[in-house]
Amino acid sequence: MFSPGEIILQQTVNGLILGCFYALISLGYTMVYGIVRLLNFAHGDIYMVGAFVGFFVFGALAAITGTGWLSIILAMVAAMFLCGVLGFLIQRFAYRPLLDAPRLSLLITAIGVSLILQNAMMILTNGEFKFFNHSVNPRAGISLGNVTITWIQMVLLGITAVLLISLTWFVSKTIWGKAMRAISMDRPTCRLMGINVNTIIGITFFIGSALAAVAGVMACVYYGNVHYFMGYIMGMKAFTAAVIGGIGSIPGAMLGGLLLGLLEAGGTQVLGSSWKDVFAFGILIIMLIFKPTGLLGKTEVERM
Amino acid sequence: MSESNVILKVDAIETYYGQICALRDVSFEVHDKQIVTLLGGNGAGKSTTLKTISNIEPCRVGKITFFGEDITTMPPHKIVELGLIHIPEGRRIFKDLTVRENLELGGFTRRGDDKKRDLMIDEVFCRFPRLRERHAQLGGTLSGGEQQMLAVGRGLMAEPKLLMLDEPSMGLAPLLVAEIASIIRDLNNEGIPILLVEQNSKMALGLADYGYVLETGEITLEGPASELIKDPKVVKAYLGIE
Ligand SMILES: Nc1ncnc2c1ncn2[C@@H]1O[C@H](COP(=O)(O)OP(=O)(O)O)[C@@H](O)[C@H]1O
Ligand SMILES: [Mg+2]
């Protein structure tokens, strides 16, 4: 019933949406890696916390502003802010004291933070799936033949596009963004420029976490449910996207995220959906073997 | 010279890398309008001295004051805000940022006033016309001499009340060394006091009013530059091979 053209169109749309999730989350990975050389394995859990913050805020707002887009957007803004603060605080109290310690201590701390976030959320939610009952029609949209591009998909793409463009502007044009890039090149010299390095690292964690929170609330809307271990696989996928793009590179994370989404959608179409994680991590392994610096990364390679 | 025009006073500082003592009981002063030089061979502790003043390396013992204010434990960015500017060894240009962006970051402490910033960048470009030609180029693509000019320009963006330069002549051809020397003299004539760290003692003593010699972390000799340049020990150790 679907023509080959329609299948390609459908999978492209699916892949782009998936790519939006990966891009938004992998940005946090790559920005943090760029600035403090930490693979922040708690980042996927920030996405999960973002989803739950969105869920709870949405629930609280439902009686006041309804269950439509207004509440969704408000929940998204609240999740961005609260996860931004959470990311900042994790940085401040868990990572900053270890910035000059051996890299491995930092990595292990990140894994510890990840476990804390997951277990805290498990206790808070009794380990249950929570259902995000918005009133936006998930099937309404624009139909092209048998394929429907839903309003939800278009809004999520739009939100992601706005965020990616804003971030690009921030990093390339503002003095804070320039300082961020400079710190990833040479931290001691930034101190000699009068740059408060700790503040900029804090801002970086805030932004990365806020972007992950947006993805979390997007997951609420798109998939309709949330659970405390949703961050694990998503975090690994976003990490894969960051590696594909070249870890440390912001355009790389955007490109890697979208590319991984599209590849995964295509791979799922060909191999079947039970292979989709195998497929994504297969790409990660191939990438690490043949081009560890990624598509847009720098040539510097470090062993962890 | 009277106490009142002492700008920078380093008082018996000690700095360690782990257990290793890199500076022991180092004391010196920079007075208003002066060029003071800190000489010494490789590994003597010159860079460590500047890093300790900037608080990139913590000072374990002793006291550092700048315009009478105790800056010994002040965070580095606050020290820069006071106008104590350190141009590091090896220039340390941000290689993947443009020349212009490098300068903008030099003015980080004066952020917020874009008009003023653009005026100051223009001033740097007037001083170093070659940087204006290359303003959109990445820092890493500049030659050594151009990078040193960019490093100085970047330091000037912070409106220094004291400029500390760490081996600005390093790795440069003699003609460029002379150019850097004349830049330093110009800056000093414009009223900026300078603390110059050099291995090129001939150049440094030619510029400086006063000098100190550092050996394995201790100051072993000091005096007016015109006397140091004739001192047999200095001639033998630092000027002989030049
Ligand atoms: N980061 C460091 N860790 C350990 N030792 C260092 C470090 N930096 C410098 N040193 C040591 O401190 C001493 C002084 O170094 P430095 O101040 O760089 O000398 P200079 O600038 O006079 O060449 C040297 O013995 C050097 O090996
Ligand atoms: Mg040195």
Side-chain angles (χ1 to χ4, degrees):
Chain A
M1 66 187 252
F2 279 88
S3 71
E6 284 171 340
I7 291 173
I8 291 173
L9 176 65
Q10 182 66 66
Q11 291 299 3
T12 304
V13 174
N14 292 349
L16 277 179
I17 295 289
L18 203 52
C20 287
F21 285 96
Y22 296 158
L24 286 172
I25 304 168
S26 68
L27 279 167
Y29 263 113
T30 227
M31 288 167 75
V32 163
Y33 183 82
I35 205 160
V36 290
R37 299 290 183 272
L38 160 69
L39 295 176
N40 182 13
F41 281 117
H43 190 59
D45 300 294
I46 298 281
Y47 155 80
M48 176 274 293
V49 172
F52 274 103
V53 171
F55 170 81
F56 287 120
V57 171
F58 183 83
L61 283 175
I64 311 161
T65 51
T67 53
W69 281 115
L70 178 60
S71 292
I72 292 172
I73 297 297
L74 289 175
M76 200 174 267
V77 172
M80 280 178 86
F81 178 74
L82 290 174
C83 283
V85 171
L86 177 66
F88 176 86
L89 292 175
I90 290 171
Q91 173 274 146
R92 176 66 188 84
F93 294 105
Y95 301 150
R96 189 189 296 176
L98 294 169
L99 279 185
D100 295 320
R103 209 72 58 71
L104 196 58
S105 336
L106 207 53
L107 192 69
I108 290 167
T109 307
I111 292 169
V113 171
S114 165
L115 292 174
I116 291 171
L117 291 177
Q118 278 183 37
N119 285 286
M121 197 53 80
M122 183 184 75
I123 293 166
L124 206 65
T125 61
N126 299 320
E128 293 163 355
F129 275 80
K130 298 285 180 192
F131 294 93
F132 193 89
N133 297 312
H134 61 77
S135 57
V136 180
N137 182 346
R139 272 176 292 279
I142 297 173
S143 293
L144 301 160
N146 289 315
V147 178
T148 301
I149 303 170
T150 67
W151 298 123
I152 290 182
Q153 288 174 324
M154 283 185 267
V155 171
L156 299 189
L157 278 169
I159 289 173
T160 306
V162 167
L163 289 171
L164 298 194
I165 291 167
S166 309
L167 182 73
T168 304
W169 170 82
F170 176 81
V171 169
S172 59
K173 295 288 184 248
T174 68
I175 190 78
W176 301 99
K178 288 169 194 173
M180 209 176 262
R181 284 185 289 149
I183 292 174
S184 67
M185 293 170 215
D186 187 345
R187 207 194 300 169
T189 301
C190 285
R191 293 216 157 91
L192 298 182
M193 306 287 105
I195 296 168
N196 185 342
V197 170
N198 285 332
T199 304
I200 307 263
I201 292 175
I203 293 174
T204 305
F205 273 85
F206 185 98
I207 294 175
S209 304
L211 293 175
V214 171
V217 180
M218 279 172 43
C220 293
V221 178
Y222 197 60
Y223 299 115
N225 63 62
V226 288
H227 47 85
Y228 73 92
F229 55 86
M230 67 190 277
Y232 179 70
I233 280 286
M234 196 51 131
M236 296 305 280
K237 295 278 186 69
F239 170 65
T240 303
V243 171
I244 291 175
I247 191 140
S249 161
I250 288 175
M254 297 178 183
L255 178 69
L258 294 175
L259 213 56
L260 181 63
L262 289 168
L263 284 172
E264 204 178 299
T268 306
Q269 179 66 37
V270 175
L271 300 171
S273 63
S274 52
W275 288 88
K276 81 180 191 341
D277 294 347
V278 179
F279 186 74
F281 296 129
I283 294 174
L284 173 64
I285 291 168
I286 291 169
M287 207 66 200
L288 286 173
I289 293 172
F290 293 105
K291 193 145 183 5
T293 54
L295 298 175
L296 303 180
K298 288 270 139 39
T299 42
E300 157 213 26
V301 187
E302 283 181 74
R303 289 185 181 277
M304 190 67 249
Chain B
M1 291 241 183
S2 70
E3 272 299 296
S4 63
N5 57 22
V6 173
I7 287 176
L8 178 74
K9 188 174 165 70
V10 173
D11 190 8
I13 59 167
E14 288 183 16
T15 302
Y16 290 77
Y17 291 110
Q19 298 296 316
I20 300 158
C21 182
L23 296 181
R24 194 190 308 276
D25 195 25
V26 169
S27 300
F28 63 91
E29 289 175 357
V30 180
H31 294 247
D32 199 8
K33 302 197 174 67
Q34 274 188 332
I35 298 182
V36 172
T37 185
L38 206 56
L39 305 175
N42 212 352
K46 305 180 299 298
S47 297
T48 303
T49 306
L50 296 196
K51 288 179 190 166
T52 308
I53 295 170
S54 293
N55 200 8
I56 302 288
E57 292 296 339
C59 173
R60 195 173 295 181
V61 181
K63 188 175 170 188
I64 303 163
T65 49
F66 184 57
F67 283 100
E69 191 169 351
D70 186 347
I71 60 164
T72 319
T73 56
M74 193 178 269
H77 66 275
K78 296 271 185 216
I79 294 176
V80 175
E81 281 171 18
L82 292 179
L84 177 42
I85 309 305
H86 175 174
I87 299 176
E89 183 177 301
R91 356 256 190 238
R92 306 297 282 262
I93 295 306
F94 300 117
K95 294 193 166 57
D96 297 332
L97 296 183
T98 65
V99 167
R100 201 191 162 82
E101 286 172 329
N102 268 279
L103 292 175
E104 286 174 16
L105 284 174
F108 186 85
T109 54
R110 306 287 183 266
R111 68 189 171 277
D113 187 348
D114 288 2
K115 225 185 215 152
K116 170 124 196 253
R117 181 198 65 197
D118 290 347
L119 274 175
M120 293 187 61
I121 290 179
D122 200 58
E123 255 174 58
V124 171
F125 285 162
C126 289
R127 194 185 290 274
F128 306 120
R130 259 180 291 170
L131 294 184
R132 191 194 299 275
E133 288 164 29
R134 293 172 175 26
H135 72 99
Q137 231 168 282
L138 294 184
T141 65
L142 300 186
S143 71
E146 288 162 353
Q147 288 198 10
Q148 188 60 59
M149 286 171 199
L150 181 54
V152 171
R154 194 172 62 174
L156 292 177
M157 289 295 294
E159 299 179 295
K161 293 200 174 78
L162 171 65
L163 203 54
M164 306 194 291
L165 294 118
D166 195 344
E167 299 205 37
S169 76
M170 185 197 262
L172 297 184
L175 213 61
L176 282 167
V177 173
E179 195 173 339
I180 294 292
S182 92
I183 290 165
I184 293 170
R185 193 186 303 283
D186 287 347
L187 291 172
N188 185 246
N189 286 339
E190 289 163 32
I192 303 174
I194 284 168
L195 175 58
L196 175 64
V197 159
E198 265 300 342
Q199 283 198 59
N200 186 336
S201 313
K202 203 187 233 170
M203 171 237 198
L205 288 173
L207 284 169
D209 301 295
Y210 201 86
Y212 297 85
V213 175
L214 202 57
E215 279 177 87
T216 55
E218 289 181 84
I219 288 183
T220 52
L221 200 61
E222 67 172 280
S226 52
E227 287 173 23
L228 285 181
I229 211 162
K230 289 179 284 189
D231 188 292
K233 272 183 289 180
V234 175
V235 171
K236 186 160 178 280
Y238 302 109
L239 296 171
I241 40 169
E242 299 283 337

